[in-house]
Amino acid sequence: MPTNPLYLLRVNARELLRQPGTDRSITVELAPGDLGIDDARITGDIAVDLVATSNIDGIVVSGEVAMPWRAPCRRCLTDVRGTAGVEVDELYQDDVSDEDAYAIEGDQIDLAPAVREYVLLELPDDPLCRDDCAGICPVCGIDRNTASCECDTSVRDERWAALDDLRLDDS
Ligand SMILES: [Zn+2]
Ligand SMILES: [Zn+2]
C-alpha cells in the first residue's frame, strides 16, 4: 500500500508535549510534487532532516531542508547547478505567545506548510555561474567567459553621453 509521503511530515504533538525534552526526528525525501511545488528549478528530491523537541513553551523544530536546483546564470545564461540548504528553526505552540510561532492544530503538527515555504524561499532567483562572470557581449552575444570579440561596445556609452547632454540642456 503506498503511503502518502506527507504523512511523514506529521508529528504527534501531544506525545511530545506530555514530557518536555522529548524529541522525534523527521527524516524524509520528498518529490517537489508531494509538497504541491511545481518549479522547474528543482532537479531532484527535497531532503528534510528535522528534529522536533518539546519544551514547556511548545515544540521546537530544527534541522535542515535541502534540494538540488538548476537555473540560468543571470549574466551569461549558462546552466548553473547547486544544492540549496536552509537551516530550519521554528516554534509550534498550542496558544501562540511568540509572534513567530505556528499554531498547533489539534493533536498534530503538520510540517508541510513550513517545509514548502523554506523550499520556495531558498530557491535562487538570479544565480551567477561564478562571482566574476563576464557575461555575454551585448553586440554579438558571444560568451565572454570562453571567447573574446572585437565588438565596439562604446556605442552604448555614446548614447548615455547623448542623454547626459540633453539633461544639461534642460537645466
Ligand atoms: Zn555566467
Ligand atoms: Zn561581441
Side-chain angles (χ1 to χ4, degrees):
M1 193 184 82
T3 39
N4 180 348
L6 283 191
Y7 180 77
L8 300 168
L9 291 180
R10 298 218 184 106
V11 177
N12 187 322
R14 292 305 137 226
E15 219 171 80
L16 289 176
L17 288 170
R18 202 170 297 142
Q19 201 175 349
T22 316
D23 59 37
R24 225 204 88 188
S25 59
I26 304 104
T27 307
V28 55
E29 302 228 326
L30 298 165
D34 294 337
L35 287 162
I37 296 173
D38 178 18
D39 193 306
R41 288 174 294 177
I42 305 174
T43 56
D45 284 348
I46 297 161
V48 177
D49 191 4
L50 302 172
V51 178
T53 310
S54 60
N55 59 35
I56 49 166
D57 245 6
I59 295 173
V60 174
V61 175
S62 59
E64 197 190 46
V65 172
M67 69 266 168
W69 58 268
R70 182 174 71 187
C73 169
R74 70 166 181 261
R75 286 189 200 148
C76 71
L77 304 179
T78 48
D79 230 13
V80 187
R81 291 162 181 271
T83 302
V86 56
E87 293 286 317
V88 175
D89 186 17
E90 295 290 352
L91 176 64
Y92 290 78
Q93 296 182 309
D94 274 324
D95 300 307
V96 177
S97 60
D98 185 314
E99 60 176 16
D100 294 325
Y102 284 84
I104 298 171
E105 316 267 0
D107 289 342
Q108 290 195 323
I109 292 176
D110 182 6
L111 296 172
V115 169
R116 190 181 299 127
E117 206 171 291
Y118 275 100
V119 167
L120 293 175
L121 272 178
E122 202 52 26
L123 278 172
D125 279 330
D126 46 5
L128 280 174
C129 61
R130 54 180 212 232
D131 285 342
D132 62 348
C133 171
I136 54 176
C137 169
V139 177
C140 72
I142 209 168
D143 182 348
R144 294 198 284 204
N145 294 307
T146 54
S148 53
C149 57
E150 302 292 315
C151 294
D152 181 5
T153 50
S154 63
V155 175
R156 187 167 162 274
D157 298 338
E158 275 161 25
R159 255 187 245 146
W160 284 115
L163 277 176
D164 286 343
D165 288 344
L166 282 176
R167 284 196 201 108
L168 282 176
D169 290 345
D170 276 351
S171 57

